[in-house]
Amino acid sequence: MAAPRGASWAALLLAAGALTLAAAVSEPTTVPFDVRPGGVVHSFSQDVGPGGKFACTFTYASQGGTNEQWQMSLGTSEDSQHFTCTIWRPQGKSYLYFTQFKAEVRGAEIEYAMAYSKAAFERESDVPLKNEEFEVSKTAVSHRPGAFKSELSKLVIVAKAARSEL
C-alpha cells in the first residue's frame, strides 16, 4: 500500500494530531446556546483555561425555521498549551440556512480546524464541508463567500497557546 501524497498526507497528520490532542484534554466544559435565525448577526463566546487564558467565539447569521439548540465544548490540555473548541448541533443536521459563520480563538493559534455540513448523530457520521467552502487563518475558521453552500452543523478547532513576546 502506497503512502498518501501531498495534501492527503498533511490532512492525515493533522487529523491524527488533533485526535491525540483531544485525548489529552482534561475536564471539557460544554455550554448550550441557541442558534437563532432571522438574518441578523449573532455571537456566542466562552473562556477556558487558567484565568480565562483562551476564548472561542462563534459568530453567524442564519435564515429559516426556528431556534436550534447547539453546544460549545471547550477543553485544555493538561499543560494548558493547547485547547479545543467544538461547536455543534447535537441532533446532527441543522435545518437552518447559514449566510455566514466564523469561529475565532483568542490566546492561541489554530493548528487544526474542520467544518461539517452534518454532525454525527446516532449511526450517521460527520460530513465535512468541501475545502473550498471555508477558510482557516491563524485565529479563525470562516465561510468562504461565494463558495459556502450554507449548510453548517459542526466546527472543530484545535489551537496551541500563542507565544509570548519577551
Side-chain angles (χ1 to χ4, degrees):
M1 178 197 251
R5 291 190 206 145
S8 297
W9 181 245
L12 181 63
L13 287 175
L14 282 173
L19 290 174
T20 301
L21 292 173
V25 172
S26 57
E27 300 182 41
T29 301
T30 300
V31 181
F33 67 99
D34 282 337
V35 169
R36 300 173 295 205
V40 178
V41 175
H42 297 282
S43 286
F44 181 78
S45 186
Q46 286 294 122
D47 293 341
V48 68
K53 179 178 182 175
F54 305 116
C56 186
T57 302
F58 178 52
T59 304
Y60 67 92
S62 65
Q63 294 282 357
T66 59
N67 291 0
E68 289 182 346
Q69 185 79 51
W70 282 51
Q71 294 182 348
M72 180 182 282
S73 290
L74 300 145
T76 59
S77 60
E78 291 178 10
D79 64 1
S80 296
Q81 291 303 300
H82 290 88
F83 93 102
T84 61
C85 175
T86 303
I87 303 157
W88 84 102
R89 183 166 194 253
Q91 293 79 16
K93 183 156 178 52
S94 172
Y95 295 97
L96 297 175
Y97 178 90
F98 283 83
T99 55
Q100 66 182 56
F101 75 84
K102 185 175 191 176
E104 295 177 275
V105 297
R106 186 192 79 230
E109 292 184 358
I110 294 174
E111 290 194 328
Y112 171 83
M114 183 54 72
Y116 300 88
S117 61
K118 186 175 174 184
F121 182 67
E122 294 179 350
R123 296 181 193 190
E124 298 185 17
S125 300
D126 289 335
V127 176
L129 294 181
K130 292 180 180 169
N131 288 338
E132 60 267 16
E133 290 186 73
F134 68 101
E135 53 195 15
V136 180
S137 70
K138 286 184 177 182
T139 59
V141 55
S142 58
H143 75 288
R144 187 168 280 154
F148 175 54
K149 294 184 174 57
S150 302
E151 294 182 24
L152 183 69
S153 292
K154 183 177 181 179
L155 292 165
V156 176
I157 295 173
V158 178
K160 184 176 182 177
R163 287 175 245 192
S164 301
E165 298 296 326
L166 298 177

